[in-house]
Amino acid sequence: MLKIKRAVSLVWDSAPGWTAAHVVVTTIQSTLPFALLYIIKLIVDDIALSLNLVDKTQIFSHILFLLIDAGIVMLLTHFLAVIAQICSETLSQRVTDYMQTILYKKAIEIDLEAYESPHYQDILERAKWEAPHRPKRMLDNLTSGGQGAVTLIAVLGLLISLHWGLVCVLIFAAMPTMVVRLRQSKVMYNWHRHQTEVERKANYLGHLLLGSQPAKEIRLFNLGNMLIERFARIRQQLFREKLAILHRQAIFQLIAQGCTGMVMLATYGFIVHQTIYGRFQLGDLVLYSQAFQRAQGAVQSLLASLSGLHENNLFLADVFEFLSLQPTTLAPAHPKLVPRPLQQGIVFRDVSFQYQNSTRKAIDGINLTIAPGEIVALVGENGSGKTTLAKLLCRLYEATAGTITLDGIELQHFSRTDFYSQVGALFQDFTCYQFTVADNIWMGNVEQPFTYERIERAARQSGAAATIQRLPQGYETLLGKWFKGGEELSGGQWQKIALARAFLRDAQLVVLDEPTSAMDAHAEEEVFMRFRELMRDRSALLITHRLATIKMADRIYVMHRGEIVESGTHDRLMALGGTYAHLFETQAKNYQ
């Protein structure tokens, strides 16, 4: 009952006016068939009466009046059907849009680490399937059930006057179908829940086949047919399983409907018998037979609505399961303000982190300091934990053990919004927004007013200004090829745009993860020639494999298998002759 109430509340919140209109129209619709049925009964009675009259003028006038009444009821029925369709379709669209917005809001609340969990992906996938239409379906079940109840109450008196046992017959006849539907709902729900990951695999293959990013490799390596075959195998497996369920359900439905049909035929035979032996008039025959038919439909509609409520209640559990998720890092009750400017800097003390579903620590026992205005560099082989450490610093993850402090205050004591406002970042997997150039850069700080002065300054700082000037509409050029008129950039050009995004945020801490990996040597040199000036009064964490570019760093930390194995300036580390010196000399040989 609680889920039903919550679902109706979601529908009401999405569009109160359209919801009220939908309920009112469907309620009125439920009374019109009975009114028409009674008018037809009166017409048939008058026709039967006229057979024994010589002067049929008066009776014809009365029949004509009843026909006009019937016409008005039919016109009103058709009019309300059109209005009901408009209300239903409009409400469905509003509910879909509203539920999508709720899902998006919840998704951005969840910790980044959750996206790396298959369990979370299953919950998210099921919520995406069910959220757009289940609340509206539940409202339809309620209104349809209400219509059935109103119709049933309207004809109940007639059926009782004929024989009280007819009501029992109606309910008894509908019960087999009801039981079968409830069982079907449970079986289908369990199957869908069990097959979520399989469905996601099929969707992933579809993403690979239709996506623009994998398109080059799929064609170059001739992967298309192989991926299509895998997709077809998964879909065939799902098809066979679902067909087997439907086959079993069809057998049960036939048995249930057969039982119901036999009971209905016996009842109609009883009504005909009563008419033949003179207990009913001809109009009564029409009235009672139609009333019983209407009552049968009303009972079936009511029970179908109840089984539909049961089914939608099951599937809505997936939506509410997603909406009930909470971030593992809750906002502090009394958040502290981020110091401006920094006085002591950032300190990692014995920090460790382990990903979900992983048996090893990504970083272990890290001790690291970034003083105010200091440029710190991280180097090491792939998989050594550099990017994970950067994400911990940006508070995208929370440390499994140890503390990270800013001016002696643990990061958990700051509100995320306030802390993020003081962090500018560029990661390796930065996003290429299919927006204009100006929008792409403005994404770095949407809390600030959109001004071309700030955007152009950030573009100059990142080295993107020259590229932008050559574009057809300059800063108003649409980037990417998803939409008409878009201009595609090279990897290095996109990286400059993303770097401008990081520079736009007037942050005290800048985190750059391979910020020039896609740039050519000349562009990279331009960026790092200005880097020291750009980082004035800012603390910076720089991750790069290009060791020649980090000689400017005030301090260098060398990571290996999640631990810091060396630290110091470039000259000190070279004199030490350890891991850093080996990496630097190995790269240097490639340029000799």
Side-chain angles (χ1 to χ4, degrees):
M1 192 64 187
L2 183 60
K3 291 177 185 175
I4 295 175
K5 182 179 179 182
R6 190 175 179 186
V8 172
S9 296
L10 289 172
V11 175
W12 178 264
D13 291 341
S14 67
W18 286 106
T19 304
H22 178 70
V23 172
V24 170
V25 169
T26 52
T27 301
I28 296 174
Q29 278 183 304
S30 67
T31 63
L32 293 180
F34 181 71
L36 183 60
L37 174 62
Y38 187 71
I39 292 172
I40 293 173
K41 184 263 185 197
L42 295 177
I43 292 173
V44 173
D45 283 342
D46 283 351
I47 293 173
L49 181 62
S50 69
L51 297 177
N52 300 319
L53 296 176
V54 176
D55 184 6
K56 306 181 188 306
T57 305
Q58 186 176 359
I59 198 72
F60 179 75
S61 298
H62 189 248
I63 291 173
L64 185 62
F65 176 76
L66 292 174
L67 287 172
I68 293 173
D69 289 343
I72 293 173
V73 172
M74 286 189 288
L75 286 175
L76 184 58
T77 300
H78 294 315
F79 173 75
L80 288 178
V82 173
I83 299 301
Q85 182 180 4
I86 294 173
C87 290
S88 179
E89 292 182 0
T90 304
L91 184 58
S92 293
Q93 186 62 52
R94 294 302 300 271
V95 171
T96 297
D97 296 342
Y98 181 73
M99 291 304 299
Q100 293 283 20
T101 301
I102 287 179
L103 287 184
Y104 297 150
K105 288 181 177 179
K106 173 55 68 172
I108 63 176
E109 291 178 6
I110 304 302
D111 296 316
L112 182 65
E113 191 179 359
Y115 285 85
E116 296 159 359
S117 165
H119 176 64
Y120 171 79
Q121 292 297 334
D122 286 345
I123 295 175
L124 174 60
E125 192 72 9
R126 288 193 293 267
K128 288 193 298 184
W129 291 343
E130 308 304 339
H133 60 271
R134 289 294 173 182
K136 172 59 168 53
R137 284 189 186 180
M138 189 163 279
L139 178 65
D140 289 342
N141 292 146
L142 290 171
T143 53
S144 176
Q147 282 182 317
V150 170
T151 303
L152 186 60
I153 292 170
V155 298
L156 204 57
L158 285 173
L159 295 178
I160 293 175
S161 68
L162 177 58
H163 196 287
W164 64 268
L166 289 179
V167 178
C168 299
V169 169
L170 280 172
I171 298 174
F172 176 76
M175 288 306 295
T177 304
M178 175 71 170
V179 172
V180 169
R181 285 181 175 174
L182 292 176
R183 180 181 180 278
Q184 288 174 343
S185 299
K186 186 67 174 178
V187 170
M188 192 60 71
Y189 172 73
N190 289 335
W191 180 76
H192 274 289
R193 191 173 179 88
H194 177 70
Q195 293 297 338
T196 302
E197 187 169 359
V198 180
E199 289 273 9
R200 285 200 298 111
K201 288 179 180 178
N203 292 340
Y204 173 68
L205 292 170
H207 166 74
L208 291 178
L209 289 163
L210 299 178
S212 58
Q213 187 173 356
K216 296 185 289 295
E217 284 194 10
I218 287 175
R219 284 153 180 77
L220 183 61
F221 298 150
N222 195 26
L223 302 177
N225 289 331
M226 181 272 292
L227 294 175
I228 291 173
E229 288 174 3
R230 289 190 178 185
F231 174 83
R233 282 200 302 270
I234 292 176
R235 296 308 307 179
Q236 185 65 21
Q237 172 194 340
L238 293 172
F239 170 76
R240 286 194 300 267
E241 292 178 1
K242 189 170 185 178
L243 185 62
I245 294 173
L246 294 176
H247 182 263
R248 291 192 297 270
Q249 291 178 346
I251 294 174
F252 287 119
Q253 281 182 338
L254 286 174
I255 295 172
Q257 290 173 359
C259 295
T260 301
M262 295 298 292
V263 174
M264 294 298 105
L265 285 175
T267 305
Y268 284 123
F270 172 74
I271 296 174
V272 171
H273 177 273
Q274 296 292 88
T275 304
I276 291 175
Y277 283 90
R279 294 185 178 89
F280 295 152
Q281 297 180 6
L282 191 59
D284 293 328
L285 171 66
V286 174
L287 177 62
Y288 285 127
S289 60
Q290 288 294 313
F292 188 75
Q293 183 180 358
R294 298 279 184 183
Q296 178 191 357
V299 170
Q300 289 181 343
S301 174
L302 182 59
L303 295 181
S305 298
L306 292 175
S307 63
L309 282 171
H310 174 71
E311 175 184 335
N312 290 312
N313 192 48
L314 290 173
F315 282 95
L316 264 177
D318 295 326
V319 179
F320 296 141
E321 181 183 13
F322 177 75
L323 295 180
S324 66
L325 293 176
Q326 296 295 330
T328 56
T329 54
L330 301 178
H334 304 287
K336 298 182 179 180
L337 293 176
V338 176
R340 298 174 174 82
L342 293 180
Q343 300 295 325
Q344 305 170 30
I346 297 164
V347 177
F348 283 64
R349 289 191 179 91
D350 298 321
V351 172
S352 299
F353 178 78
Q354 184 172 330
Y355 287 98
Q356 292 182 13
N357 304 317
S358 176
T359 57
R360 67 177 184 86
K361 293 181 179 179
I363 62 172
D364 187 14
I366 296 295
N367 289 285
L368 176 150
T369 301
I370 306 175
E374 184 180 34
I375 298 176
V376 169
L378 287 181
V379 299
E381 299 172 345
N382 289 333
S384 59
K386 303 185 300 296
T387 298
T388 299
L389 190 149
K391 290 178 179 178
L392 285 170
L393 176 57
C394 292
R395 210 185 164 194
L396 297 174
Y397 297 150
E398 296 290 353
T400 306
T403 59
I404 306 173
T405 60
L406 188 152
D407 276 8
I409 304 171
E410 292 188 30
L411 299 189
Q412 292 90 330
H413 294 157
F414 302 119
S415 75
R416 286 183 179 272
T417 302
D418 188 32
F419 179 75
Y420 288 160
S421 70
Q422 296 303 307
V423 179
L426 170 62
F427 291 100
Q428 288 177 277
D429 54 348
F430 61 87
T431 302
C432 302
Y433 296 101
Q434 306 286 306
F435 300 149
T436 65
V437 174
D439 279 339
N440 260 276
I441 297 175
W442 182 57
M443 291 290 181
N445 196 357
V446 295
E447 287 81 12
Q448 295 295 321
F450 182 101
T451 64
Y452 277 98
E453 180 183 356
R454 296 173 59 247
I455 290 170
E456 290 172 359
R457 181 171 66 249
R460 289 193 298 270
Q461 291 174 341
S462 71
T467 298
I468 297 170
Q469 290 173 358
R470 294 193 293 269
L471 294 174
Q473 285 83 40
Y475 286 87
E476 287 304 308
T477 302
L478 184 67
L479 297 182
K481 289 296 185 180
W482 284 25
F483 305 107
K484 185 178 179 180
E487 291 283 333
E488 189 56 86
L489 302 180
S490 69
Q493 291 170 329
W494 268 116
Q495 197 163 37
K496 289 180 181 178
I497 297 292
L499 191 57
R501 196 154 60 225
F503 288 154
L504 182 72
R505 187 177 287 263
D506 187 19
Q508 298 189 82
L509 172 65
V510 178
V511 178
L512 302 177
D513 187 359
E514 300 289 357
T516 59
S517 59
M519 299 182 193
D520 56 43
H522 178 68
E524 182 181 39
E525 184 181 7
E526 285 184 345
V527 170
F528 280 108
M529 281 180 61
R530 294 192 297 272
F531 192 74
R532 174 62 72 175
E533 179 183 351
L534 293 173
M535 292 301 104
R536 184 188 311 155
D537 301 326
R538 301 183 184 186
S539 300
L541 179 68
L542 173 63
I543 301 173
T544 181
H545 284 92
R546 301 187 183 185
L547 302 185
T549 64
I550 63 170
K551 292 195 291 185
M552 71 179 73
D554 299 306
R555 197 172 347 173
I556 301 168
Y557 290 90
V558 183
M559 296 193 67
H560 180 68
R561 295 184 179 179
E563 299 179 351
I564 291 176
V565 293
E566 294 176 359
S567 65
T569 63
H570 169 76
D571 292 337
R572 179 181 178 280
L573 292 175
M574 289 300 295
L576 188 64
T579 303
Y580 178 84
H582 174 71
L583 291 173
F584 190 89
E585 291 169 356
T586 300
Q587 282 196 15
K589 290 178 182 177
N590 294 327
Y591 295 96
Q592 293 176 354

